[in-house]
Each structure stands twice: as C-alpha cells, then as structure tokens.
Amino acid sequence: MSEPNGAHGQTGATTDESLEGRVKSAKTPNRWWLWAIIAIVAVIAIVVGVNIVKPNKQTNTTVVGTGNVAASNTADSITIGLKLTPTNLDIRTTSGSALDQVLIGNVYEGLVARDENNQVVPAIAKSWDESADGLTYTFHLNDNMTFSNGDALTAEDVSWSINQLIKNQYHDAESLNMVKSVTANDNAKTVTITLNTANSNLLWTLTGRAGLVFDKDAKYDAKTEAIGSGPYLLDKFVTNDSITFKVNPTYWGTHKAKTQTVIIKYLADDNAAVNALKSGDVQVLAPITENLAAPFTKDSEHYTVKAGDDTDKYVMAFNSKGEKTADKRVRQAIRYAINHDELIASRGGADKALGGPIPSLDPGYEDLTGLYPYDLDKAKSLMAEAGYSEDKPLQLTITYANIYGTEIGDQLRSQLAKIGIDLKVNVVEFSTWLQDVYTNKNYDISLVDHNESHDFYQWADPTYYYNYDNAEVQKLYAQAIAATDDATRDTLLAKAAKLVSEDAPADWLFNYRVTTAWANGVKGFPVNLNQTLLPLYNVTYTK
C-alpha cells in the first residue's frame, strides 16, 4: 500500500504501501524508457551545435560534448508538479510509491515494463518464453545495452539484481517467494527464472521493483544518486523540494527522450499547486483536485484537464467477524443504501462506480455495480429482518484516517441514517488507524484507499484486517495464481471477485481516477496510472 501523503487531492492519499510498509512491506508498478538526444532551441536560422550531458562513471557530474538540435519552438525544459515526495532515492530499501513514480522507467529500468493500460510489455528483455508447466521463464535480452556510466548491461547484471533483492530482502522481495533460481547466460543473452510453483503474476511483478536491473559494479550513494539504464540521468535531488533529470546521451533504447531537462517540483499544498500552474511555474499538475480544476477546465484555450484510469479502490470494509457486522443482512443493507453517484458527484465527478474488489485495469475485472444498486426499500427491508429501523437504529462506527477529510464520513452518516443506522464517524491519525484497524482488527467499519494493483490476494487471506474468510474464494484465487494462461487466470479471478462482492464484506465506494491538468503546448504526458507510472521520455512543451 502507498504512503498516506495526500496524493489524491481532496481526499488525501493512498495507503496500500503504507500498510504493508509499516507492518510488512510494499508493492508497486513500473516501466521502461528510451534513447536520449539533447535538444536546445536554435535561435538563428538553420542549426546550432548544442551541449550534451555525458555522465561521469561514478557520479552525477557532467562533461560537455556535442549533440543535436530541437525545433526552435520546442522548450528544452519542462517543470512538472507532483505531490508524492520521496524522502531519499534508495529504491531498493525505501517504501512509498513516490520513488516508483519518478525513477522507474526514467532512470531505472526493469526486465519488463507496463504500459498505460497496466499490461506487461518488453523492456530490458525484448521477449520471453514460458514453459508449459509455468515453472520456467526464459528472457531474451536486447543487444548493446549500457548503464548511464558507460558500463555494459549484461545478463549477469539482471540475475545479480534479482538475486540480491531476494538475498537481502530488499523492498518487494516477498513478491518473489515462489522463485527457485535466477541464472544468467551472457553468451546467449538470456536470463532464466525458475519457480517452485507456477505464478501467473510473475511477469507483472517483474514490472515493479522486483524486476529492476542495477549495475553490479557501480559505486554510488543510492540515497542521493542514481546510476541506471533509462533515458534520463539524475542531475539533482533536493529533499522535499525537487528532482531534476537530464537526458542520458548513452541510452541504449530505440526511443529518444524528447526534452533535455525535466524538473519535478513537489507541491504538497493543493492551493499552492494550482497557483503554480496558473503562474507558469509548472506546466503540468498531477494530480489536481477535481473540485479545484474548474478554472482550468473552463479555460480550454490555455489548459487541458483530463482524468485517467488508476487502480485505486476506496474500500469501505465491514469487519466480517464484528459483533454487529457479522450479520450479512446488515452488510447488504449498507451496500444498497450507499448512493455512489452522489459520492462521486461531490468529488467532482471524475471517479467511477466500482461494484467489486477488482478495478478496471486489473486482471479479472467485471462490472459488478449491478449486484447492489441504490435501493433504499430493499435496504430498509434487510435492516428490519436484522431487527433494526429508524426508530430502533443500529449504532456503528466508521474509523478512518484524517487524510481523507470529514466530508465523506458526513455523507455516509447521512445516507445510512435513512435505513436505521446511527453512524459515528471516528477520524483518527493514520498511525492510530494502523494500530486499531489494520493490526488489531478492532472496528465496525473502515475506510481506506487501496491503491495497489493486483491486490485481490487480500480477499483470499482470512488473516487480513477484513476478517473475511471464504474457502471457495481462496480456492479460486489459488487456481488463478497457478494458471498457465491469462484467459484462465482472468476467468477464475472474475468468478472469485463476484463471490466476494455478493458476500458484501465491503462496499467499494468508487474507483478513484487521477485528474491531471497541463498548459496547452504540453504533449506526451501520461494520464493513466501517473501516480505510480510516469514515463517522461515522450513529454514535450511547445511555448
């Protein structure tokens, strides 16, 4: 789960990595990116020679060379406003999706990557073969790959990186528990991963930190420096303020980074972020609170505002073993009583209704919103069966972290009062939520933004804080993970997800969508998944 640090504007942030990180560890996505050639604006007629950055072997210092020239109307730099600020740059040991967001695919690359639709695509490996039993994956590497310090990127670097992750239990090591061995053949330019048990999530897992490839011979301070194989070099890191990227002139790939300098400016305050976009201090803001985006939406002559898909799920969990919420009728009544359209509209309207535990970009997604449509009469009937009414209300408490504000709790209290539920809203510090709800499972109802992709495992784990225990769901999930083809996996996951939704151990209030705003003239900025997947090679800004 991700750090609850206000990534999502008005509601606060994601918490998936934070929960796993503080109690265990986390998982996140990634991506690969591309060849670099510097472009500086030519001022006189035809072509002017330009300086190009060339990395020193062991540091981030630069030397001067010559390079290509950009079109005269294209800026040689762009500033992007983000919210999630990393505390340091050591992506192997530091949790939080802020590192994945800016480093993966830009500075560091993985064996494989993800596209904007959350699908696995080639990266350092140009292709791969999977054995019929799903236990052996052979990755065929690209030719002539190099790290930014000039070192060749070899199969040995790949196997060393993954083996080091497992040996030292770096961040996400637990996601490779099924791995038996990782071996390299530099002559054949292949890496072979052998599993103890088949795992249909392996490729997707390798698009994240688990699959990142590092230079085994490089010496640098990973907290403040970075030596990777991506299209950008880390030029400068100012804690809690900014990160500056320069193009990597030795990038091995087939795509070119289109902008010479990319500055990431961290803006924790929503109003300050909006003012930075208005003033031109930043050209892109991701995310922007939907309710603060209206002035930019109206000014389409100068700005573009667009919402992208993401894997965040606002989960209102019912303690399945709770004294009052163990009654399925109560849980079902609450689901019928929630007016999702009203909740989404109050947030600006960008989010999507979600009727089950799998979001639209994940394997096994099926539209389950029809299982519990808004129906007050049915909700009241179920509450009456359980022995409650508006005259004899059921008292419940919803506990959630203060990062989400009070408005959503007030809305839920108002909606549930109509069916005879007296809902107390208990807004606490995130650390308190972690202790009381996540660790001790002492709650009636909880609310948290689960942002992690491929996280259906939570519903197949009876020890998770939901206290949800369904043997059939656990069986279907185990079969899905062991599947050796995607179609079978997806069918099994969809079946399991429907069972979960029908049991009503939670209500999935909505699938959060990230709203991004940018000045017209910006091209190539990713919209989907940009809080965890932010490839910048294709971004340009024309003034």
Side-chain angles (χ1 to χ4, degrees), residues 88-222:
N88 68 73
L89 301 180
D90 190 351
I91 199 165
R92 286 174 292 187
T93 63
T94 304
S95 65
S97 58
L99 284 176
D100 305 72
Q101 182 183 29
V102 294
L103 293 183
I104 297 178
N106 293 314
V107 175
Y108 295 118
E109 294 178 298
L111 188 56
V112 288
R114 291 191 307 153
D115 65 15
E116 64 176 5
N117 296 311
N118 210 22
Q119 300 299 305
V120 178
V121 294
I124 284 173
K126 61 184 177 182
S127 63
W128 51 87
D129 304 315
E130 180 182 350
S131 63
D133 61 6
L135 295 178
T136 304
Y137 289 76
T138 302
F139 296 88
H140 306 277
L141 307 188
N142 286 285
D143 297 326
N144 303 317
M145 294 183 292
T146 60
F147 291 100
S148 61
N149 59 9
D151 286 0
L153 192 166
T154 66
E156 184 63 32
D157 288 305
V158 176
S159 63
W160 175 84
S161 298
I162 299 175
N163 282 321
Q164 283 289 301
L165 176 99
I166 296 171
K167 176 184 176 181
N168 297 321
Q169 287 296 291
Y170 289 142
H171 197 282
D172 267 8
E174 79 283 352
S175 68
L176 296 181
N177 285 341
M178 82 296 292
V179 171
K180 181 179 181 180
S181 66
V182 184
T183 58
N185 185 331
D186 275 322
N187 292 328
K189 297 178 182 176
T190 60
V191 172
T192 301
I193 298 180
T194 305
L195 308 182
N196 290 308
T197 56
N199 190 296
S200 60
N201 278 339
L202 176 68
L203 287 173
W204 187 89
T205 298
L206 292 173
T207 68
R209 297 195 194 192
L212 290 183
V213 177
F214 301 92
D215 183 351
K216 63 183 179 63
D217 299 319
K219 300 293 188 295
Y220 60 99
D221 183 351

Side-chain angles (χ1 to χ4, degrees), residues 146-378:
T146 60
F147 291 100
S148 61
N149 59 9
D151 286 0
L153 192 166
T154 66
E156 184 63 32
D157 288 305
V158 176
S159 63
W160 175 84
S161 298
I162 299 175
N163 282 321
Q164 283 289 301
L165 176 99
I166 296 171
K167 176 184 176 181
N168 297 321
Q169 287 296 291
Y170 289 142
H171 197 282
D172 267 8
E174 79 283 352
S175 68
L176 296 181
N177 285 341
M178 82 296 292
V179 171
K180 181 179 181 180
S181 66
V182 184
T183 58
N185 185 331
D186 275 322
N187 292 328
K189 297 178 182 176
T190 60
V191 172
T192 301
I193 298 180
T194 305
L195 308 182
N196 290 308
T197 56
N199 190 296
S200 60
N201 278 339
L202 176 68
L203 287 173
W204 187 89
T205 298
L206 292 173
T207 68
R209 297 195 194 192
L212 290 183
V213 177
F214 301 92
D215 183 351
K216 63 183 179 63
D217 299 319
K219 300 293 188 295
Y220 60 99
D221 183 351
K223 291 185 177 181
T224 58
E225 300 174 293
I227 293 177
S229 61
Y232 282 103
L233 305 171
L234 173 69
D235 184 62
K236 187 178 182 182
F237 170 51
V238 181
T239 307
N240 296 321
D241 181 76
S242 63
I243 290 176
T244 301
F245 293 142
K246 297 283 187 181
V247 292
N248 175 7
T250 65
Y251 186 63
W252 58 271
T254 57
H255 296 81
K256 302 175 182 179
K258 296 180 178 178
T259 299
Q260 177 190 0
T261 303
V262 175
I263 301 167
I264 304 295
K265 184 70 177 174
Y266 291 105
L267 302 164
D269 180 78
D270 287 342
N271 291 318
V274 166
N275 289 333
L277 182 59
K278 286 180 180 178
S279 67
D281 288 344
V282 301
Q283 287 76 55
V284 183
L285 202 55
I288 182 171
T289 301
E290 185 71 17
N291 288 332
L292 293 179
F296 302 105
T297 303
K298 293 175 182 176
D299 188 5
S300 58
E301 181 181 353
H302 298 101
Y303 300 98
T304 298
V305 179
K306 190 172 182 180
D309 292 330
D310 214 311
T311 57
D312 292 63
K313 304 155 292 290
Y314 269 59
V315 181
M316 187 171 78
F318 314 130
N319 189 340
S320 291
K321 292 183 179 179
E323 179 184 352
K324 303 170 183 177
T325 48
D327 190 330
K328 185 176 179 179
R329 296 169 299 184
V330 171
R331 304 196 306 266
Q332 290 178 314
I334 293 173
R335 293 202 64 187
Y336 281 122
I338 299 297
N339 187 331
H340 300 89
D341 291 341
E342 185 179 275
L343 293 176
I344 291 170
S346 71
R347 292 168 46 84
D351 302 321
K352 287 184 177 178
L354 182 64
I358 297 180
S360 61
L361 291 180
D362 273 2
Y365 169 73
E366 180 184 359
D367 184 355
L368 298 176
T369 54
L371 289 180
Y372 289 92
Y374 180 52
D375 190 332
L376 283 180
D377 289 338
K378 188 167 288 189

Side-chain angles (χ1 to χ4, degrees), residues 40 72 116 167 236 259 284 364 375 392 408 429 446 453 466 468 485 509 515 542:
I40 289 185
S72 60
E116 64 176 5
K167 176 184 176 181
K236 187 178 182 182
T259 299
V284 183
D375 190 332
K392 185 186 175 184
I408 194 167
E429 294 290 330
S446 167
S453 180
Y466 302 142
Y468 176 68
D485 67 274
L509 298 180
T515 300
T542 302

